Each structure stands twice: as structure tokens, then as C-alpha cells.
Amino acid sequence: MENKMEKIISLCKRRGFVFQGSEIYGGLAGTWDYGPLGVALKNNIQNLWWKRFVLDREDMYGMDAAILMNQNVWKSSGHVAGFSDPLVEDLKTKKRYRADHLLEDAGVDPKGMKFPDMDKVIKEKGLKSPEGNPLGEVRQFNMMLQTSIGAIQDDSSVSYLRPETAGGMFVNFKNVLDSLHPKLPFGMAQIGKAFRNEIAPRDFIFRVRELEQMEIEYFIKADSWKENFEAFRKEVWEYTKDVGLSQDKVHELEVADEDRAHYSKRTIDFEFDFPFGKKELYGLAYRTDFDLKAHTVGSTVDLSYFDEETKERYVPHVIEPSFGVGRTLLAVLSDAYTEDNLGGEVRTFLKLSPKVAPFLVAVSPLLKNKPELMTKAREVYNAMRKVFPGRVIFDDNGNIGKRYRRQDEIGTPYCVVIDFDTIEKNTGVTIRHRDTGEQERKSVEEVIEYIKNNI
Ligand code: ATP
């Protein structure tokens, strides 16, 4: 389905969703810029997440921690020593490739393989680089992006752009305890950027170097981990419904013992049928007390919790659901991308849920050069904007057919048109439905009610 991806990437550029990062300078691999419609879609995706996991719950505490952190955070968490990918070099061009990707491309499943196993299989099979050259040894390659802070560059000035948002929550566990006094179980939630020096950024916004995550660290008593894990498992599914993903394209993968991170006792990957295959969308992990214990040792600050009820002091365990913003956006876009035949013409449209579509409704005058239509259209637009702030677009570009096509392509569920009957006969406006192309007449009040009931 390469073709479908090309069409999505081209639609994203053409309609202002996502652009190649630094495009006019030839780009920067693994970076993408969200344009006006991409931002609108992304905000809706993030707001639905924040609503479900923070606003609608009493046990969740929002955070926004700094991207740059003391380098010791990442030493304690194990990232400095172990956040690495298996890498293999083309001995001729010196280009580096992900060993697991080369194995996958050769029809070998690399799951569960350690670095030496990968090396063995590559040698046994006589695999070559994509350019057809011999390959070197498989090595570990740390994926953290390093930077240095301050005027002098030495070991003490080293910092990293965080590789996940989680660290910012663990190091603030005590601050939240001391300032808000939450009782266990409770969670901390954060949406923010993370950075990974991916060797092979690919598949558009699926694997990037600058990414955005939505993560929760949910602190629990050890013996309650199974029920809390189950509860979040259900909530992850609910969120996939919130953003309108086809449920039959989402799959759970129980991650095998040998593939789990060393601290995790159980991990489920939620996978999605992307046009380029079934790949990880989200992760749900039981991280035990690994993180708080590691940061207690590393910082020498006590990160335990005193349970008033049982009068016990212990280090909480953690359930971590982790969501990628870009991967959600790509799943939503690829799921919504549709081509059909409407009135004898092939059309492309995004069948987006009204909950995530950049705009809920477009308002247009039938003709641009008729002041009476224009005045009424702006009046209707302003009235609707008050009810759906930021979700109504005024569109008077080109003829009405072109406007419908354009709104279809950006996934606007409804188009409202003000015509002569609206003014002369007071018969209301027309509302056109994106998915069927059908139109009906309703009063403005009825249209507003209708849209409210269909979000
Ligand atoms: P993968 O196996 O695909 O590299 P991961 O298992 O390393 O992903 P996690 O560390 O569990 O990913 O990160 C949590 C979530 O962050 C992922 O489920 C995904 O949605 C998102 N994510 C991780 N890496 C990237 C990336 N390079 N580009 C875009 N999103 C990412």
C-alpha cells in the first residue's frame, strides 16, 4: 500500500496538515512540521486524551516538565547505558542500518533476538546492505540526542533531549506528593516532546526523531497491579474509539518475556494496521517499582509513600500507558482516507470523526459577488463560531463545487450554504453531509442542534 501512503503524504502537504521539516533547505530527516490543519487535528487528538485521562478523573495530576534534565536522571533510569538500537554498518559506504530492520526485510522475525543472535543470523544468511555491500558487526547505538549546556563543554555540561516524557514525572513524584497530598492510587499525566536519534526514520510521521508523547505514570500498591493494568487496558481501547479509529484495525500484542524492557513485568503493545503494515501505536507497561527505586538511589532523595490507612511506608509500583501523538494522527488519517465516486466523479475525502476533524463545519455564500449573500453568510458564520469556537471555517474561494471538494479533502463533516432562498423565502440554509454528498434544508438553529448532537 505504498501508493496510499504517497497519497496521504501528498494530501497532507497540499492541504496544510504536515510539511517536511526545513523543506526549503532540503529537509532534515526525521523531522516534520505541522501546518494549520495538522495543528488543529493534533490539538483535537491531544484534547480528547487530556479530557479522558485528566479532566474526567479525580485521581490524575497534569504535568509539564522541562525537556532538558540533569544528566543523572538518564543515568539512573538506565537510558545512558541501555537505550540503544542494534546497528550495522555498510562496510563500503559506511552508512548505518538497523539490524532488526534488515532482518525483517529478509523475512526473519527479529523479536526476542539479542545483539549477538542478530549478528549470527546476518552472517549465516550472508545478508548484504540495501546497496548490496558487505555488513560489519552488529553494535549498540545509543539513541539519546546529546547536547551541552553552558559556556564550557566538558562532562559536567552534558545534557540530553529527553527520550521519553516519563522521566519528568518520576523526578516530580515527591513534589506532587508534598504539594497536593494525593492518596494512592493516583497518576501523573503529561503531553510533550521527546527526541530519539532513530537511525532509520521512516514511514512519514510514524518513526521520527522529534516526537510527541502522551504518557501517564499511575502509582499503585504492588498487589493491585493486575486490576489497574486491566483498567488502563480498557481505557486505551476507549481512547482509540474517542479518536474514531476502526476497532478492527487495532490489535493487542502481548510482549514476550525476552522482548520486554528489563524493568517490565508485563507489556501490551497496541498495534494498528497502517498502510505499511501492522505496527506499534501505543504501549501499556507494568514498570514495577523500578523507576522510583532507581531515582531514590540516584538522587539519594527518599521517593517512598506513607500509607495513612495501613501505616506502612513503601515505594509505589507503576502502570504506564504511553501514546504517540504523531502515530495517532497517522492512524487517524490513514483510517479516514477514502476515495469514492460521487456524481460520476472520483473524489478523495477524509472520513474523520467530527470529534477530531480540523473543522466541524464550513459556512459559504452560494455566490461570492452578491453582498446580501455574503452579509448573511458572515452572520451565520459568527453565530456558529460562538457555539463551536475555532471549529468553523468561512469558505468563499472558487465555486461551490470546488469548496465541497476542498472541505471533503480536509474532512469537514458539514458544509452550510446561504443561498437566495435563505434570504428571499426565509427557508433556512442548506447543510451538506460529507460522506454521502446529500443536502437538506434546515434553519440555522436546527443546524447547530444537529451538529451538537453529532459530535
Ligand atoms: P518502536 O518499537 O516503534 O521504536 P518503542 O517501543 O520504542 O517504539 P516506546 O518507547 O514504548 O516506543 O514509546 C511510547 C510511544 O511513543 C510509542 O508507542 C509510540 O507511539 C511513540 N514513539 C516512540 N518512538 C517513536 C518515534 N521514533 N516516532 C514516533 N513515535 C514514537
Side-chain angles (χ1 to χ4, degrees):
M1 286 293 264
E2 285 296 312
N3 201 12
K4 182 168 175 186
M5 274 312 288
E6 277 165 26
K7 287 177 178 174
I8 292 171
I9 295 170
S10 139
L11 186 150
C12 280
K13 181 175 156 93
R14 187 167 70 247
R15 294 298 182 205
F17 281 89
V18 182
F19 309 118
Q20 191 188 358
S22 316
E23 189 178 1
I24 62 168
Y25 284 95
L28 178 67
T31 66
W32 295 89
D33 296 341
Y34 287 87
L37 295 199
V39 173
L41 178 56
K42 194 154 81 79
N43 283 343
N44 293 337
I45 285 170
Q46 292 177 341
N47 290 341
L48 285 167
W49 189 89
W50 197 256
K51 178 173 177 336
R52 169 167 295 281
F53 291 107
V54 182
L55 302 182
D56 287 352
R57 300 177 62 127
E58 287 182 38
D59 58 349
M60 210 61 92
Y61 295 81
M63 277 293 309
D64 188 9
I67 288 172
L68 295 171
M69 302 182 80
N70 187 308
Q71 56 172 295
N72 292 326
V73 171
W74 306 113
K75 285 185 182 156
S76 299
S77 67
H79 283 81
V80 171
F83 189 60
S84 45
D85 268 347
L87 201 78
V88 62
E89 199 173 84
D90 176 318
L91 292 175
K92 213 164 167 192
T93 63
K94 305 289 171 209
K95 261 198 199 160
R96 290 162 170 194
Y97 296 95
R98 283 269 297 265
D100 52 339
H101 289 171
L102 292 184
L103 286 168
E104 262 174 24
D105 293 346
V108 181
D109 184 0
K111 285 204 178 85
M113 278 192 192
K114 301 268 177 277
F115 291 60
D117 303 333
M118 291 190 191
D119 208 53
K120 215 170 118 208
V121 178
I122 286 178
K123 296 229 162 72
E124 270 170 16
K125 293 210 159 238
L127 295 187
K128 298 262 188 298
S129 75
E131 280 96 354
N133 300 320
L135 294 163
E137 296 264 304
V138 177
R139 288 176 207 281
Q140 289 205 33
F141 169 77
N142 195 296
M143 291 166 70
M144 280 201 294
L145 277 155
Q146 191 173 321
T147 185
S148 81
I149 292 189
I152 299 161
Q153 293 197 6
D154 60 13
D155 285 351
S156 68
S157 69
V158 169
S159 184
Y160 302 96
L161 303 182
R162 65 181 179 202
E164 56 180 28
T165 62
M169 293 187 270
F170 292 124
V171 303
N172 281 292
F173 172 73
K174 191 172 170 357
N175 281 333
V176 170
L177 266 191
D178 293 347
S179 55
L180 290 128
H181 312 289
K183 300 272 167 288
L184 235 57
F186 75 91
M188 290 166 71
Q190 174 164 232
I191 300 179
K193 293 255 175 159
F195 301 80
R196 297 179 180 190
N197 195 5
E198 297 275 0
I199 278 305
R202 59 176 174 181
D203 297 325
F204 190 33
I205 51 175
F206 177 82
R207 186 171 300 287
V208 293
R209 290 182 169 139
E210 178 172 337
L211 54 132
E212 213 159 358
Q213 293 181 315
M214 308 184 279
E215 290 195 304
I216 292 166
E217 306 307 326
Y218 196 72
F219 301 101
I220 56 165
K221 213 176 159 181
D223 60 9
S224 69
W225 80 266
K226 284 191 176 137
E227 67 231 43
N228 282 301
F229 193 93
E230 272 313 305
F232 274 107
R233 181 185 187 170
K234 291 204 184 92
E235 282 294 285
V236 173
W237 276 103
E238 288 306 311
Y239 179 69
T240 65
K241 288 186 206 158
D242 290 347
V243 293
L245 289 182
S246 300
Q247 296 294 286
D248 59 344
K249 290 189 183 152
V250 183
H251 312 276
E252 286 188 14
L253 173 81
E254 187 76 47
V255 179
D257 293 355
E258 60 271 26
D259 287 331
R260 276 199 310 264
H262 56 287
Y263 50 76
S264 170
K265 277 242 182 88
R266 186 175 182 199
T267 300
I268 291 180
D269 280 352
F270 286 80
E271 298 187 315
F272 183 78
D273 294 323
F274 288 98
F276 42 85
K278 190 162 79 165
K279 303 269 175 192
E280 177 175 333
L281 180 62
Y282 307 137
L284 173 62
Y286 168 38
R287 294 177 74 120
T288 68
D289 55 1
F290 170 83
D291 302 274
L292 290 181
K293 273 201 172 142
H295 289 300
T296 299
V297 173
S299 67
T300 68
V301 173
D302 178 12
L303 299 178
S304 64
Y305 170 82
F306 183 70
D307 193 325
E308 300 280 357
E309 263 173 44
T310 61
K311 305 290 174 214
E312 287 171 276
R313 181 167 282 285
Y314 52 86
V315 176
H317 282 227
V318 168
I319 306 287
E320 181 194 69
S322 182
F323 304 70
V325 176
R327 286 190 189 179
T328 309
L329 199 131
L330 183 56
V332 164
L333 281 177
S334 64
D335 201 15
Y337 185 90
T338 315
E339 286 172 5
D340 71 355
N341 201 302
L342 193 69
E345 248 183 77
V346 177
R347 73 158 174 165
T348 300
F349 72 110
L350 293 181
K351 214 171 183 167
L352 292 172
S353 151
K355 286 196 172 74
V356 293
F359 299 108
L360 268 176
V361 52
V363 178
S364 285
L366 179 66
L367 299 169
K368 195 177 175 171
N369 53 5
K370 298 283 173 202
E372 63 275 33
L373 291 184
M374 198 67 160
T375 310
K376 182 69 185 167
R378 293 222 65 101
E379 195 184 291
V380 171
Y381 168 68
N382 286 327
M384 295 188 93
R385 243 157 52 118
K386 285 204 181 92
V387 188
F388 308 112
R391 312 265 340 254
V392 188
I393 180 171
F394 190 83
D395 191 356
D396 62 357
N397 272 327
N399 64 38
I400 200 76
K402 279 200 183 130
R403 287 179 219 160
Y404 285 156
R405 291 288 169 277
R406 189 166 50 240
Q407 295 303 328
D408 285 348
E409 264 207 328
I410 64 171
T412 310
Y414 310 107
C415 287
V416 162
V417 172
I418 285 74
D419 59 14
F420 292 107
D421 282 357
T422 313
I423 298 168
E424 289 161 10
K425 300 192 188 147
N426 202 16
T427 49
V429 296
T430 63
I431 171 168
R432 174 186 175 273
H433 301 264
R434 175 196 66 199
D435 298 350
T436 58
E438 279 165 13
Q439 290 179 32
E440 49 183 331
R441 290 198 88 89
K442 284 182 191 290
S443 71
V444 174
E445 294 70 30
E446 282 167 346
V447 167
I448 290 176
E449 269 318 294
Y450 177 83
I451 295 176
K452 264 193 201 162
N453 294 332
N454 282 285
I455 300 180

